[in-house]
Amino acid sequence: MPHIKQIDHVAVVVDDMEKSLSFWRDALGIQVQELREVPAEKSQVAFLPLAGSEVELVRPTTDDSGIAKYLAKRGPGMHHLCLEVDDIRGMLMQLKTKGIRLINEEPRTAPDGKKYAFIHPESTGGVLVELYQL
Ligand code: CO
């Protein structure tokens, strides 16, 4: 049986990175490990690791990506929760048999080789959930 290991990250969509960092970094005091452009995702991402998991602040850098449209429609806020799973294919199959609506039926592979897939918020109580396997 595939199983969920931990919360890998929480992604927050932001429209103003400096303003967002003034809360997460300056007020809460969480260290930013890295702030970089991710051209493949058409976004700028700040990574704020915390004991095995991470807060990711994502700012779209173009108007035409999925996340840019999300920001335009819903404004800044929580975007998705990512859970680490030991067997992503097995978990997707298990979810499918339980009637859960998937955005990605097959895992996608990131440039760094990690596999990921998204579960539709309609089946999760309104939260976009990402599954990820190292
Ligand atoms: Co993510």
Side-chain angles (χ1 to χ4, degrees):
M1 286 279 279
H3 92 276
I4 299 296
K5 297 169 80 173
Q6 65 166 1
I7 294 176
D8 184 74
H9 61 269
V10 173
V12 176
V13 60
V14 310
D15 56 355
D16 180 334
M17 186 59 81
E18 274 313 308
K19 188 174 158 200
S20 182
L21 286 172
S22 74
F23 171 68
W24 295 94
R25 178 191 60 201
D26 304 337
L28 287 180
I30 306 173
Q31 280 207 356
V32 177
Q33 183 189 53
E34 203 184 354
L35 176 62
R36 69 175 146 102
E37 301 281 331
V38 184
E41 305 284 342
K42 297 176 176 176
S43 58
Q44 179 192 38
V45 184
F47 298 92
L48 294 82
L50 283 166
S53 66
E54 188 166 77
V55 175
E56 296 182 5
L57 308 176
V58 184
R59 185 182 66 80
T61 49
T62 65
D63 289 337
D64 60 345
S65 63
I67 201 149
K69 285 174 188 146
Y70 182 98
L71 177 63
K73 194 172 161 194
R74 306 174 71 160
M78 166 108 181
H79 185 258
H80 66 266
L81 173 70
C82 178
L83 302 173
E84 185 183 351
V85 61
D86 61 351
D87 171 10
I88 192 166
R89 277 182 189 282
M91 183 58 82
L92 289 171
M93 265 160 59
Q94 174 176 308
L95 294 172
K96 227 173 150 179
T97 62
K98 290 179 187 291
I100 302 297
R101 184 170 165 196
L102 304 174
I103 292 175
N104 309 114
E105 304 233 333
E106 291 288 320
R108 306 182 74 179
T109 306
D112 59 5
K114 293 170 185 166
K115 295 194 184 327
Y116 66 97
F118 285 91
I119 306 170
H120 200 284
E122 189 183 276
S123 291
T124 66
V127 180
L128 178 60
V129 176
E130 177 183 12
L131 294 175
Y132 142 90
Q133 183 184 348
L134 256 183

